[in-house]
Amino acid sequence: MKLAQTPVDKICFEQHQIFVKRDDLLHPEFSGNKARKFAYFLANDFPGITKLVGYGSPQANSLYSMSALAKLKGWQLDFYVDHIAGYLRANPLGNYQAALVNGANIIDLSLRADRSKRDTLSYIEQSVMPVGPKALFVPEGGRCHYAEYGVRQLACEIIDWKQQQELSELVVFLPSGTGTTALYLSKSFKQLDASIRVCCCAVVGGEDYLKQQFTQLETDVSLHPQILDTHKRYHFGKLYPEFYQIWQQLKDTGIEFELLYDPLGWMVLSQHLAEFGSQQVLYLHQGGLLGNQSMLPRYQRKYGVSN
Ligand SMILES: Cc1ncc(COP(=O)(O)O)c(C=O)c1O
């Protein structure tokens, strides 16, 4: 099971040479940077724990990765979702289907009589964690201090690679959701090799939301990554023709990217490339390709495009 040490490829993007760290080649069960975020859970024992509790979207990469983690550890996974769309329930696919195959217990809160209009996190905090058997709770998207351990390993791989390439400076760019990966990468580089800096863009929520997320994990703002402006506001998970277009353009490089985070990531990178001057850029491919199984049919239904 490949959970670290991924290769770096070189591609040509809009007449620029960009390096791509191929974390999409990590084991598919821990794709979408979950191998890095969950490395701590894989490397350590948790005596007394019998259950993993998580929440998020029924199509989240983290649902599938948590189901794989629970299976490996012999734990039960209880994953809470706000609701499951009728179409998905009737036609399971992508992360949702794969998690069901792994034995995940996916709990649809919209069907719970005791919900009392509470959001998913409040429901878990008030009605799940205090009463069940000893369980390990992982916040949405793996946003927790445990993630630092594995993301630091990723930072060390990038530092080794940069030394082998004899680069004097490097910009590492990645699209952010919870910001966990970008934050712990930035913190690691500031502590281990200050010639590498991290730039990211906010894909979920805006810049202020992302800054808040960073601060919840690390109060020292000098360790935070730089957020590049997205110019236009896009809603997370919505379909945009320009996203599909850049995704296709990237496919011609021979590397498939995912359709939720990467299109905006590459668009923002394209808008800011000139600012990096002679500095080399390394784009972090964070996997998540299983999600394309549900995103591509959505694009096809909406725009009639073929892949
Ligand atoms: C493919 C992919 N890219 C980017 C992200 C965002 O990562 P983070 O939440 O650490 O910012 C995720 C979520 O984990 C993801 O699955």
Side-chain angles (χ1 to χ4, degrees):
M1 187 179 261
K2 190 165 183 58
L3 296 171
Q5 298 297 342
T6 50
V8 173
D9 284 346
K10 196 174 11 179
I11 63 168
C12 181
F13 174 71
E14 297 178 351
Q15 279 91 53
H16 289 266
Q17 170 188 282
I18 310 272
F19 293 103
V20 180
K21 174 76 172 160
R22 300 291 308 274
D23 264 15
D24 55 312
L25 301 179
L26 292 169
H27 193 277
E29 289 195 324
F30 292 101
S31 176
N33 68 28
K34 302 302 177 296
R36 307 298 189 173
K37 286 182 180 171
F38 292 167
Y40 183 84
F41 300 118
L42 289 160
N44 290 279
D45 286 331
F46 294 84
I49 293 291
T50 55
K51 194 192 265 197
L52 198 57
V53 172
Y55 73 100
S57 148
Q59 276 298 13
N61 290 316
S62 58
L63 162 57
Y64 176 43
S65 296
M66 285 181 75
S67 73
L69 174 65
K71 198 173 73 173
L72 273 172
K73 291 280 189 182
W75 297 331
Q76 179 185 324
L77 169 64
D78 282 358
F79 194 90
Y80 291 81
V81 301
D82 180 69
H83 70 281
I84 300 173
Y87 181 81
L88 184 62
R89 193 187 285 283
N91 306 282
L93 82 174
N95 290 310
Y96 176 70
Q97 181 193 35
L100 287 174
V101 170
N102 276 343
N105 183 22
I106 304 172
I107 300 155
D108 182 342
L109 277 190
S110 69
L111 306 175
R112 280 275 164 114
D114 65 342
R115 179 174 187 172
S116 314
K117 296 191 177 151
R118 284 175 289 177
D119 63 33
T120 320
L121 179 58
S122 309
Y123 184 90
I124 292 174
E125 283 171 350
Q126 293 159 10
S127 299
V128 176
M129 294 309 286
V131 293
K134 214 173 154 205
L136 195 61
F137 172 61
V138 177
E140 188 169 17
R143 186 179 63 84
C144 55
H145 293 285
Y146 291 117
E148 184 166 8
Y149 172 89
V151 176
R152 185 165 281 245
Q153 285 177 342
L154 167 61
C156 290
E157 281 176 38
I158 295 173
I159 292 169
D160 287 348
W161 172 83
K162 180 195 153 253
Q163 279 164 0
Q164 281 159 20
Q165 299 292 313
E166 298 178 354
L167 301 174
S168 54
E169 284 177 311
L170 182 67
V171 176
V172 173
F173 179 83
L174 67 162
S176 284
T178 65
T180 311
T181 314
L183 172 75
Y184 287 133
L185 272 180
S186 172
K187 183 176 173 185
S188 300
F189 293 137
K190 293 213 166 145
Q191 292 170 341
L192 303 172
D193 181 347
S195 70
I196 308 181
R197 68 188 171 107
V198 176
C199 293
C200 63
C201 63
V203 180
V204 182
E207 205 173 302
D208 290 342
Y209 165 81
L210 185 55
K211 280 185 184 154
Q212 266 174 31
Q213 302 277 93
F214 291 153
T215 305
Q216 278 180 22
L217 290 173
E218 173 58 64
T219 49
D220 181 352
V221 292
S222 73
L223 299 172
H224 290 189
Q226 184 184 347
I227 304 174
L228 302 184
D229 182 25
T230 47
H231 294 183
K232 181 180 156 188
R233 181 85 177 85
Y234 291 95
H235 291 277
F236 183 61
K238 249 183 107 173
L239 310 186
Y240 297 93
E242 57 268 44
F243 280 13
Y244 188 75
Q245 198 187 331
I246 198 159
W247 180 83
Q248 281 282 14
Q249 182 189 330
L250 286 158
K251 224 174 161 207
D252 294 339
T253 66
I255 302 179
E256 181 176 351
F257 288 86
E258 58 81 70
L259 276 156
L260 266 178
Y261 293 88
D262 286 323
L264 186 56
W266 282 99
M267 278 165 59
V268 171
L269 183 58
S270 152
Q271 284 153 5
H272 292 267
L273 261 180
E275 294 158 28
F276 298 133
S278 61
Q279 287 177 319
Q280 294 289 341
V281 177
L282 179 116
Y283 186 97
L284 177 62
H285 192 324
Q286 298 174 87
L289 296 181
L290 193 60
N292 287 0
Q293 280 186 15
S294 48
M295 288 299 283
L296 271 173
R298 286 181 64 205
Y299 269 105
Q300 279 152 6
R301 279 196 298 273
K302 183 152 182 187
Y303 299 111
V305 290
S306 70
N307 56 346

